[in-house]
Amino acid sequence: MPDQNGFAIGAAMTIVGVNSDVVRAIGIPWPLKRDPSARLRGWSDTAKIVHDYRLRVEAQIGRPVFLIAENYGVAAALCYYLPEKRVEGPGHPPVYVEESPVPTNQFNF
């Protein structure tokens, strides 16, 4: 019996950890700023919005536009989820990361 209880607790914790919307669906308020999985979701919608906005700007100005993200995490997520991964040239990423003279994280090294 103890093994079954441990399995049930582990399964419940995994479900809540992976999809915290289950908690909200049963009526328990859980603010997004306290949700550890909130930053893992929504990237495909965000990339679609960025892509559509980029197309509107390009149609308006009549030339290609490249993307710059505020940090490598945003750049990586957009690079993965963008519907059209345009590379400006060999060795260039689809989304650039703003450079900083001061290293802000391990990516800069």
Side-chain angles (χ1 to χ4, degrees):
M1 194 68 159
D3 291 334
Q4 292 173 346
N5 290 338
F7 178 77
I9 291 170
M13 290 176 62
T14 301
I15 290 169
V16 170
V18 171
N19 187 2
S20 57
D21 289 337
V22 170
V23 175
R24 290 184 193 90
I26 61 172
I28 299 172
W30 190 353
L32 287 175
K33 67 181 180 179
R34 297 205 184 270
D35 182 355
S37 67
R39 68 183 188 147
L40 303 176
R41 290 180 271 132
W43 284 110
S44 59
D45 295 335
T46 302
K48 176 146 180 32
I49 291 167
V50 168
H51 176 70
D52 293 345
Y53 182 76
R54 176 195 220 178
L55 293 178
R56 283 196 310 269
V57 170
E58 288 177 340
Q60 195 173 39
I61 66 172
R63 58 179 191 224
V65 172
F66 62 90
L67 301 173
I68 301 175
E70 65 178 345
N71 61 53
Y72 75 96
V74 173
L78 288 176
C79 285
Y80 183 79
Y81 286 107
L82 275 173
E84 179 187 346
K85 294 164 184 49
R86 270 195 244 156
V87 178
E88 303 300 323
H92 290 268
V95 180
Y96 291 88
V97 180
E98 182 181 16
E99 287 191 16
S100 171
V102 178
T104 56
N105 55 42
Q106 70 277 11
F107 180 75
N108 296 108
F109 291 108

